[in-house]
Amino acid sequence: MPARAPHRSRRPLAAAAVVVATAGALAAAALPGSASAHERHGGHHHPHAPSRYQDVQLLSFNDLHGNLEPPAGSSGRVTETQPDGTTKTIDAGGVEYLATHLRQARKGNPYSITAAGGDMVGASPLISGLFHDEPTIEALNKLDLDVTSVGNHEFDEGATELARLQNGGCHPTDGCYTDKRFKGADFPYLAANVLKEKTGKPLLKPYWVWKKNGVKVGFIGVTLEGTPDIVSAEGVKGLKFKDEVETINKYAKELQHQGVKSIVALIHEGGFPASASYNYDCDSPGAGDGISGPIVDIAKHVSPSVDALVTGHTHNAYVCSIDDPAGHPRMVTSAASFGRLYTDTTLTYDRKTGDIARTSVKSANRVVTRDVPKAPDMTRLITKWNALAAPIGDKAIGYISGDIGNTGTESPLGDLIADAQLAHGKTLDPGTDLALMNPGGIRAPLTYAAKAGEGDGVVTYAEAFTVQPFANTVNLQDFTGAQLVQALKEQVSGPNEAAPKVLQVSGGLTYTLDLTKSGADRVVAASVKLDGAPIDPAATYRVATNSFLAGGGDGFTTLGQGTNDLVGDDDLAALEQYLTANSSAGDPIAPPAADRITVLR
């Protein structure tokens, strides 16, 4: 796709934008040989001669996951640390507000690029997921997104569907949803490390170059190498996922050979800051000291020719300086998830060298607050797709007496979903003993407050869809007791040791998780019991899981070794059936106590 002219006409906003001199611009002015601020920002001395240093604004976000409407509950809030050390939460997100914030941020910045770090679609709420994420692509087009990397969720429906999102056309099974043909993304999806097995060639473009008035910035996009471990086998069929660092370094060299010296990597892999506050200083006490996780090792090995890393996947917020292999600090950013934040980075471009003056790079995460005017074009888009979704989405399927959250080692919603899958399993085979649910498959909380006029405590199909949007089936398999205990140990060992994935368990299954220990020893094997009786290593247990876990997903290889398979309904249908059967307006479901796993810290 040819580079689009980045300076596009935009509908003026009612709210006046405040133009602030960026720290990057001030730092650039102090560089040896730099032009004065007056010259660099269009002074009258040489109106046709560009100055040596040019500030380029990079606006970025990641992990939108089709959240067009403001996310509900904790999924729609960010935490901010105050000057006195206390914290407060701020309601955030929604593309009507994101569009306004981005448009206001661009004012006064003719050299502005908007980029994203993957997972724009997939695991989406009903308004997008019901229509195979066409609404989100339309919204991203209106947001003037310039470029994005793929994430793992872009492969939820396979490579053919990803190509349709890029190139357009009606869905091969569901057809066209409106009288207009879906035109696809008018920005490039980059997938440098995703290769077709048959040809060894990249599935999509590996990189893209933004150009304006002689300024050139290259973007390389990769997703995490471990994508096949967290996506269904069908979604990655026929594809190979290569090492992130090797791939970025390969294409950084290629870009340099083409004369592109300013390079940004869009990486769908991330880290874990020591604080959940979006404005946490992860460079304290030293550069990058406050962040851990896969992105740290990647950042330390990506070629110094790459000037900044826009990351994602972990849904965390951070702006960090991590030293490159040459020992020079380099900006690494992530804007949480669901459109609650965006990152505003100033890249100072040196026209003489064609490179970024790295010492002047400044970056900060900004909150997508809901106290700004809604973007009218986004409101119209949401209204259009909500009208199409309403006949399905507005149906009441259950009732709750309070918020049922999805956070914590064991969450109330995790217990509820596991119970629902056990109940569904028993309709298929009355001998089903227990159910296990992966925490990453639970995408949002169930909130008590009415969301769209349906009434407090009412759970609609749309709300349940937002919680479980993957269309996984509920599968029954036989495991020995020894295999069951081994599966529990895989929560905190192997690929899950650094970032445990604690399975949510159905009622009757209890055990102790001792976080003072390390690796597999954190699961106290002797404590694993079913209905009060110790698990018998030699006995056979009938276990319900979703199809993702039944395929060994999320590093649970043992759960991929079950026998006597039986496939039931999809997991959303199981939840709907459970809510309908076990709640009413007069007798709602109370939030489960989340007391099945005893956690020692």
Side-chain angles (χ1 to χ4, degrees):
M1 178 180 291
R4 291 185 293 143
H7 186 52
R8 293 155 288 218
S9 60
R10 297 186 176 90
R11 183 186 301 273
L13 296 171
V18 178
V19 180
V20 180
T22 66
L26 296 173
L31 290 169
S34 73
S36 69
H38 180 66
E39 289 170 324
R40 286 186 295 107
H41 293 286
H44 300 295
H45 296 303
H46 301 286
H48 302 296
S51 60
R52 175 173 172 179
Y53 293 100
Q54 175 61 58
D55 280 352
V56 177
Q57 179 188 58
L58 174 61
L59 304 175
S60 58
F61 55 96
N62 52 276
D63 296 276
L64 181 64
H65 290 290
N67 279 265
L68 304 183
E69 298 178 287
S74 59
S75 295
R77 302 187 192 107
V78 294
T79 301
E80 179 180 73
T81 298
Q82 304 295 294
D84 63 0
T86 61
T87 60
K88 74 171 183 177
T89 59
I90 304 171
D91 290 338
V95 295
E96 294 162 295
Y97 304 109
L98 177 60
T100 297
H101 279 281
L102 291 178
R103 290 165 185 172
Q104 288 180 345
R106 291 182 188 124
K107 285 190 173 183
N109 291 283
Y111 289 78
S112 183
I113 313 167
T114 304
D119 276 7
M120 295 295 97
V121 301
S124 306
L126 186 88
I127 185 178
S128 187
L130 189 63
F131 307 106
H132 298 279
D133 284 312
E134 290 182 21
T136 296
I137 298 298
E138 287 188 3
L140 293 171
N141 288 343
K142 291 179 183 295
L143 280 176
D144 287 325
L145 182 65
D146 287 300
V147 61
T148 184
S149 68
V150 295
N152 53 288
H153 281 286
E154 264 81 16
F155 295 94
D156 283 348
E157 296 189 48
T160 301
E161 175 62 6
L162 174 56
R164 187 182 76 88
L165 292 180
Q166 176 73 87
N167 301 318
C170 297
H171 191 270
T173 303
D174 294 345
C176 296
Y177 298 112
T178 69
D179 56 359
K180 292 183 179 178
R181 179 183 179 276
F182 173 58
K183 71 173 186 175
D186 63 12
F187 52 88
Y189 261 113
L190 304 182
N193 68 330
V194 185
L195 309 181
K196 300 175 186 175
E197 281 185 342
K198 286 185 178 179
T199 64
K201 294 181 178 179
L203 175 68
L204 298 170
K205 290 178 181 291
Y207 57 81
W208 174 82
V209 181
W210 180 92
K211 300 176 183 178
K212 181 170 184 177
N213 295 340
V215 175
K216 295 184 290 186
V217 182
F219 289 83
I220 303 167
V222 299
T223 186
L224 69 157
E225 184 182 8
T227 291
D229 299 327
I230 54 176
V231 174
S232 69
E234 191 62 29
V236 295
K237 189 175 180 180
L239 302 175
K240 290 190 297 186
F241 292 77
K242 306 296 285 184
D243 180 82
E244 304 96 334
V245 172
E246 290 177 12
T247 302
I248 293 168
N249 291 350
K250 170 187 174 181
Y251 287 111
K253 238 180 230 183
E254 191 169 312
L255 282 167
Q256 284 188 306
H257 289 156
Q258 294 177 13
V260 180
K261 303 297 174 61
S262 297
I263 302 171
V264 176
L266 307 175
I267 308 172
H268 192 70
E269 180 59 290
F272 303 96
S275 167
S277 294
Y278 81 87
N279 59 339
Y280 165 66
D281 180 9
C282 68
D283 285 341
S284 177
D289 285 344
I291 188 170
S292 60
I295 198 60
V296 177
D297 187 59
I298 290 172
K300 288 179 177 178
H301 290 90
V302 163
S303 167
S305 62
V306 176
D307 298 295
L309 277 57
V310 172
T311 74
H313 185 57
T314 58
H315 291 201
N316 289 310
Y318 47 85
V319 173
C320 305
S321 296
I322 301 176
D323 285 353
D324 67 17
H328 300 136
R330 176 168 53 195
M331 199 65 75
V332 180
T333 68
S334 174
S337 60
F338 306 152
R340 294 173 291 165
L341 301 173
Y342 69 93
T343 311
D344 190 344
T345 302
T346 300
L347 303 172
T348 300
Y349 184 89
D350 184 342
R351 291 180 182 273
K352 184 174 181 180
T353 65
D355 207 347
I356 298 299
R358 286 255 294 271
T359 55
S360 71
V361 173
K362 301 294 179 185
S363 189
N365 277 325
R366 311 293 187 196
V367 182
V368 178
T369 60
R370 300 177 190 168
D371 57 358
V372 297
K374 294 180 180 181
D377 55 340
M378 291 301 183
T379 301
R380 288 192 295 272
L381 182 145
I382 289 171
T383 301
K384 176 185 79 172
W385 288 106
N386 265 336
L388 293 173
I392 296 172
D394 290 349
K395 176 187 173 186
I397 62 171
Y399 301 84
I400 56 177
S401 64
D403 289 348
I404 304 183
N406 64 327
T407 58
T409 304
E410 175 190 358
S411 71
L413 188 52
D415 285 357
L416 177 67
I417 290 171
D419 288 347
Q421 294 187 4
L422 175 59
H424 182 67
K426 285 182 177 294
T427 67
L428 305 171
D429 181 347
T432 304
D433 295 299
L434 61 108
L436 302 171
M437 175 63 191
N438 61 307
I442 306 170
R443 307 303 298 188
L446 286 176
T447 54
Y448 176 78
K451 189 176 180 185
E454 76 277 8
D456 289 346
V458 177
V459 178
T460 64
Y461 183 84
E463 291 170 313
F465 187 100
T466 300
V467 170
Q468 289 194 274
F470 292 109
N472 289 314
T473 55
V474 177
N475 291 23
L476 302 185
Q477 294 176 298
D478 288 347
F479 296 93
T480 65
Q483 286 179 307
L484 178 57
V485 172
Q486 176 59 28
L488 293 178
K489 289 184 174 183
E490 288 168 357
Q491 302 173 112
V492 290
S493 61
N496 295 329
E497 182 165 0
K501 292 185 172 72
V502 178
L503 297 168
Q504 307 298 286
V505 300
S506 56
L509 184 66
T510 58
Y511 71 95
T512 297
L513 187 63
D514 187 350
L515 297 182
T516 66
K517 298 181 179 178
S518 61
D521 290 341
R522 286 180 276 190
V523 172
V524 181
S527 71
V528 184
K529 297 179 180 180
L530 183 62
D531 297 326
I535 293 293
D536 180 353
T540 298
Y541 295 86
R542 195 74 164 141
V543 181
T545 65
N546 61 33
S547 49
F548 173 68
L549 284 176
D554 265 353
F556 291 98
T557 54
T558 300
L559 293 181
Q561 299 167 5
T563 59
N564 194 20
D565 289 19
L566 181 60
V567 179
D569 282 343
D570 69 70
D571 51 7
L572 177 56
L575 179 60
E576 179 182 5
Q577 292 160 11
Y578 186 81
L579 290 170
T580 301
N582 292 281
S583 69
S584 65
D587 187 19
I589 289 178
D595 56 1
R596 300 165 189 179
I597 304 172
T598 300
V599 181
L600 304 178
R601 301 182 187 274

